[in-house]
Every structure is written in structure tokens, then in C-alpha cells.
Amino acid sequence: MNLDSIQQVIEFLGTFAFAISGIRHAAAKHFDWFGGYVCGVAVAIGGGTIRDVMLGTTPFWMTSPSYLLCTALALAFVICFAKYIECLQNAWFVFDTFGLALFTIAGIQKSLSFGQPFWVAIIMGCITGAAGGVIRDVLLNNEPVIFRKEIYAMACVAGGLSYWLLANIGAPMELTVIVSFLVTCIIRFLAVKYHISLPKLKE
């Protein structure tokens, strides 16, 4: 698979994972189906839209209706399998973490394809991964997750740095993507499991 194909697959998987996360949060607030869909779309395309505007290109979801259809598929998935998802404790957290990792990678790859240096690409990866969650939390009147004490955006940075390291040593693209994905997810999972956080600011 070439880079464009890998990036497209990652964006689809990230869209699906983030959409499920947003829809599950909306369900917890007792939104209707349309409200859930809107929340899912906001999470799925929010970060990528900000990234593309900053890169000076057409937002990715405006080039194909497939991303909006992917969110609709996520809504159907949640509706049809709600009772099974409900049995999985913190299922939304797992999907949110997968989406975070996948969109971080997508943001890095797209930024590099536009000729941006790696430090910019890592920042764009963080924006792509984390901004959707901020938009979701604002819509749901929750405190944005990046302002909480748990590790969130820093997991994106760690995943981005691992991507940069492997790319610099000439590792295969597939391996680079897999390792970056795992680093982001593992750091996020461990941070939540063991209550690891950055120091708080003091007055």
C-alpha cells in the first residue's frame, strides 16, 4: 500500500472510532439519534478540519461523503449493538483512545505530505487527535478532556515522537504506523489505569 492508501484507511478507521466515542457520550446525555449523529460528526471531523484549514487545503470530509456515511454507520452500530456495548465497561474510552491514536498518525502523515517539518507535523497530529474531543466536550457541556489531569494530548506527542524516530531510521511505513499507534494507546491506557498525570499548577 502507498502512503495515500494507508492515510485514507487510517482516516476511515479513526472516523469510525471517534464517531462511536462521540455517539456514546451523547447517549450518556440522553440525546436523540440526530443529536448523537451530530456529536459523532463533530468528534470525527473536528480535529481534521482544523488541521486542514491550517495547512491551507480543503477539509478532508468535503472531498468525499464517505466520512459522513462512516459516521452514520457508527450510529447504526451503536443503535444495533447498544446492549452489547453497554456490557463493555468504559467502551467509549477504548474507542476514543483508538481514534486519538489513528487521527494523530493521519495528522502527521498529511502534514508531512504538505512539506511541513516534523515538529509541525507532530503538533498537527496532536490537533487532529485531540481537537475533536474538545469540540465534543464543549457540545456536551463537559470539561474538555485535555484540561483534565489525565494524560491525553501528551499521548499524541509520544506517538508522534515514536513516528519521527522510526521514520528517521528508515523503518517500513507499516511498522512505523503500528508502533506509533501502540505507543499512543498504551500511554493513554496506562495513564488512566494507574492515575498518572502531569503536575498541577499551583496558585
Side-chain angles (χ1 to χ4, degrees), residues 89-152:
Q89 290 186 354
N90 297 323
W92 65 266
F93 167 72
V94 175
F95 284 114
D96 184 66
T97 301
F98 287 170
L100 181 71
L102 290 166
F103 268 18
T104 297
I105 296 168
I108 291 171
Q109 290 181 332
K110 189 159 190 177
S111 300
L112 292 175
S113 71
F114 273 75
Q116 298 294 336
F118 243 112
W119 66 272
V120 173
I122 292 175
I123 293 173
M124 289 296 184
C126 291
I127 290 173
T128 309
V134 174
I135 296 172
R136 173 201 65 209
D137 291 337
V138 170
L139 288 175
L140 295 174
N141 199 28
N142 294 330
E143 180 185 8
V145 67
I146 64 169
F147 297 145
R148 301 174 200 164
K149 64 180 182 178
E150 62 187 55
I151 299 295
Y152 194 76

Side-chain angles (χ1 to χ4, degrees), residues 19-29 36 78 82 85-86 88 91-92 95:
I20 288 179
S21 168
I23 294 165
R24 289 289 297 140
H25 276 82
K29 292 278 188 174
V78 171
I85 296 176
E86 194 66 34
L88 300 175
W92 65 266
F95 284 114

Side-chain angles (χ1 to χ4, degrees), residues 34-80:
F34 180 74
Y37 178 77
V38 170
C39 193
V41 168
V43 181
I45 70 173
T49 300
I50 296 173
R51 173 204 65 205
D52 290 345
V53 169
M54 294 179 72
L55 290 174
T57 187
T58 302
F60 70 103
W61 59 271
M62 295 176 67
T63 62
S64 170
S66 53
Y67 296 99
L68 298 180
L69 294 175
C70 185
T71 304
L73 181 62
L75 176 64
F77 177 84
V78 171
I79 292 171
C80 293

Side-chain angles (χ1 to χ4, degrees), residues 8-20 43-44 70 95 98-103 106:
Q8 191 173 45
V9 170
I10 289 172
E11 285 190 340
F12 276 124
L13 291 175
T15 298
F16 187 76
F18 255 174
I20 288 179
V43 181
C70 185
F95 284 114
F98 287 170
L100 181 71
L102 290 166
F103 268 18

